[in-house]
Each structure stands twice: as C-alpha cells, then as structure tokens.
Amino acid sequence: MGVIDESQVFEFVVKKGNGVKGLTDSGLTSVPPRYVHPLEERIDRKKTIDASPFLGPPINLAGLEGENNGAIANALCKAATKLGFFQVVNHGVSVQVMERVKHAALTREVTRMEGLLEHDIHERRRGYAVMASRMPVHAALDYLKGANKMIYGIMGSLLRGLDVEVEDSALSLHTEAKAVNMNFYPPCPNPELTVGVGRHSDLAALTILLQDDIGGLYVKVEENGWIEIPPIEGALVINVGDTLEILSNGRHKSAEHRVIASSTQARVSVPIFVSPRPQTMIGPLSGLPEKDGKTVYKHLLFFWRVHG
C-alpha cells in the first residue's frame, strides 16, 4: 500500500470494511497518523515496573467448591483488594477448549467490526486492534460451560469475603449476563507509537480473560506505573470490573489496563464479561457502608450495550 493519506485510510479501513487487519495484510510499513497516540499514552516496555510486588503466583482453584476452601477464598480476596488482577489455574476450562477458542479468534474473519475504531469520527486516537462481539457458537458455549462453575465460585468468594450477608439470589443477580468477545491484534509495524487498546477499566463485575502467549497486557498500579501480566500456560486472567468495585463499596479494585500489539505476531485474547442484566440497580452491598463508615458509591442503574 505504501504511504497513504488520512482520507485513503478511512476509505480503506471503514468504508470498504477492510479494517486494521486489512491494513496489515496490505503490507503497510508504518502506522498511519490516526493510530499514533500521544507520548504519554504510549507503552514504553523499558519503563514498566516489576510485577512481583503486586501480582502473586497463579491461584490454584482446586477445592474452591470444597469444605476447606478458606485459604483459596482468602487468596482471591487479597488479590482483588490489592491489584484487582490475578491469574488462576485448575479453573475447570480444559486445555482443548482453550486452544479451540484461541484458534477461532485467530482464524475467523473479524474485519467487519472494530469497536470504536470504525465508528469514532472524533479526535480520539484509534486502537490498533480488531474487536468482534461474537464468537463462533460452539466455541463460545464450550468456553462458557467450562468457566461457569469457576465464575460463581470466584464471585461468591469475593462477595462473601466482604463480611456481610450475601444471599445466593444476589450472587445470581450480579452474574446473570455473560458475553464472550474476541480480540485480534494484527502485527503492528510501529507498536511503540500506538496501543492495541487504550487505557480503560471494565464495566462488568468480573472479566475472565484467555490470552495467548504473546504478552502485551498492562495494568496500572495506582501511581507506581504499569506492570505486565505475563502469559502463563494453562492460566486464565481474572480482573475485577467497575460493577464489583461498586458492590464492594470500593474495597475490590477495578484497575485501568491497556494492550500493546506485537511487531511480528498476531495476538489474540478472549474475554468473558460477567455482569448483571441491563436495567439492574447496583450499589454497595447492604451493610457495607455502615461497616466501612462511609459510602463510596451511590446506587445506580446498570446499563451495558454490546455493539454489533
């Protein structure tokens, strides 16, 4: 494709529906200006900080549903209040299912939709990624089926670990809606100039993330800087979302995170977003503000629309 101006990029990516993947496939050798982010928003891998003080080893979920699950539940709560991101193993999703899901995300033609990228005509900088809100049905169902028990186990541990009474109906209410997305990050000629996905926190209660072995997921550690969540074979990444932070009256942390693409390989990740149904009223669990001596969040109406 060579050097092209902005009007050509918009025509090629948006109007003709080729997407970012089409840019990469065309032999593009440099990132178009619309994808270049301000210096302060870029990810400089040399300036990231050591993750070990903030991110512990993967939490082994074997026995989470058993009678002696206290140590596991405590580890989950500690991770949720400290960073809001952690990794888990022995989670119930088989290696075969995870590999099928990653393969589906890597090979499916997903150039038809790129989240905000194709629809945002304002000055916001675009992310160098392709995002689709639908997985192939069988792969998505297998992934969800394998993860369901883990989802309820983790969410139940995090809510009950707040030391207030939590009924099963409340647990079900706040995990009722689940959406499987797939994210595809084509090789980027100048990953140091852009981001795959810009800084954000998740609106969901929990996010269950299957990432490949490429790396590139970064989490903000308060004012200390950014750490990378390293890929670990067989592990899933779990992160607290805004909804759970609200339910916990601010105890569990919904951390900002972002993604950088690779210059040589395509990267894929497949999140399950676990949320209340739209139009559900959410707020700190009953008794928490009194226990904490303050109300961090007011009640509000949960609303979330998946584009597509």
Side-chain angles (χ1 to χ4, degrees), residues 1-2 4 12 18-30 128:
M1 177 177 280
I4 54 177
F12 182 81
N18 291 291
V20 169
K21 186 176 184 295
L23 284 178
T24 302
D25 292 345
S26 73
L28 193 72
T29 57
S30 62
Y128 204 85

Side-chain angles (χ1 to χ4, degrees), residues 17-19 21 104-114 118 130-134 136 182-184:
N18 291 291
K21 186 176 184 295
L106 187 63
T107 59
R108 186 180 180 215
E109 289 296 323
V110 294
T111 54
R112 67 170 186 84
M113 178 180 173
E114 300 181 74
E118 291 185 1
V130 179
M131 299 176 192
S133 61
R134 295 186 180 91
M182 60 181 182
N183 305 328
F184 177 85

